[in-house]
Amino acid sequence: MNRIDAAFVRLKEKKQKAFIPYIGAGVPGIQETVELALLLESKGADVLELGYPFSDPMADGLVNQAAANRALEKGVDDEAYLGMVKAIRAKSQIPIVVFSYLNPIFRLGLDDFARRAKEAGADGFLLVDMPVEESSEFQETCRKLDLRLIFLAAPTTTPARLQRLLKEASGFLYYISRTGITGERDGFQADFEEKLTAVKAASKLPVVVGFGISTPEQVNAVCGLCDGAVVGSALVRRTLENKPWPEMRTEIEVLAGRLIAPTKEVRA
């Protein structure tokens, strides 16, 4: 069984929810990225989204943009990225999702990169700007390699398009909590709960929520409505601070523990 599927099966059996951190590959450094992934797993993370750096991440806020730019400045390319995946996999069985925009992966060759990612230890892809309507060839590649292809749904997604996403997605469905870009927020949109409840009712796949989730209270609220929470910017921001790695690591460990705790509560 694919590691992503297995993770959600285990969580369902335990009546727990998924905590899915997003981190930028190569920030603050390559070895630190590997250590951070292992740290997050040790605190209870269930799936890891590992961001592939791109120069024009249009769906991301300032924090994730800054992380992508820093990774590119450090020379993080496909070899470095897949090296980090391989290094994490050598010490961990946490499911790894290649989180990227289409452009850099397309440039490298979708089929070839997918094969290399599988060999390195990846379990799935989330290509932010790959529309489901144009994904059939890559879906077939992922099926052959037993990789999951995850899609995004938004508050503006029409019912008809949602049905297509649910039919063709695999692994889980990533529901965007608000229109706009990534980044820490104080609350949710006014119609968030109603729309998420409808998406969850329509989906046979696990549904997780991201974009703007940054506090334990928000994680807890999301986990009461769906199958898990994605936290990115709140973690990535700490990796950009001008601090020694041991100090940075300790702060992230404390934050991760607080964010993960609500997902480990037993829920009916």
Side-chain angles (χ1 to χ4, degrees), residues 128-147:
V128 178
D129 52 349
M130 172 180 273
V132 65
E133 295 83 359
E134 299 176 17
S135 67
S136 59
E137 290 185 13
F138 194 53
Q139 284 189 53
E140 182 59 26
T141 295
C142 288
R143 279 192 290 269
K144 288 179 180 178
L145 293 171
D146 193 31
L147 293 167

Side-chain angles (χ1 to χ4, degrees), residues 12 16 22 67 81 97 114 148 162 170 189 233 241 246 250 255:
K12 186 175 182 180
Q16 294 177 341
Y22 167 94
Y81 180 91
V97 175
R148 300 297 173 258
L162 176 63
S170 55
Q189 292 186 177
S233 297
E241 293 177 352
T250 298
L255 174 64

Side-chain angles (χ1 to χ4, degrees), residues 24-27 29-30 33 50-55 67-86 98-100 104-105 107-108 113 116-117 120:
V27 181
I30 288 176
T33 297
L50 188 62
Y52 191 103
F54 179 49
S55 59
N69 288 336
R70 187 167 297 183
L72 291 170
E73 290 168 0
K74 289 175 174 287
V76 175
D77 57 8
D78 55 314
E79 294 288 345
Y81 180 91
L82 294 176
M84 284 180 266
V85 173
K86 188 175 181 179
V98 176
F99 190 108
S100 179
I105 308 302
R107 180 180 61 83
L108 292 164
F113 188 85
R116 293 168 63 204

Side-chain angles (χ1 to χ4, degrees), residues 207-267:
V207 177
V208 305
V209 171
F211 277 52
I213 311 299
S214 58
T215 69
E217 293 76 18
Q218 291 170 344
V219 171
N220 185 57
V222 162
C223 288
L225 299 169
C226 67
D227 301 294
V230 181
V231 176
S233 297
L235 296 168
V236 174
R237 178 164 60 83
R238 271 74 176 183
T239 69
L240 295 168
E241 293 177 352
N242 185 23
K243 294 179 179 178
W245 168 240
E247 182 179 346
M248 188 185 296
R249 186 186 190 282
T250 298
E251 291 187 6
I252 294 173
E253 182 176 13
V254 172
L255 174 64
R258 293 176 57 239
L259 291 167
I260 292 170
T263 68
K264 304 313 168 196
E265 296 177 7
V266 176
R267 300 171 189 256

Side-chain angles (χ1 to χ4, degrees), residues 164-175:
R164 181 161 186 178
L165 289 170
L166 294 174
K167 179 181 178 181
E168 301 190 29
S170 55
F172 58 88
L173 182 73
Y174 186 133
Y175 184 73

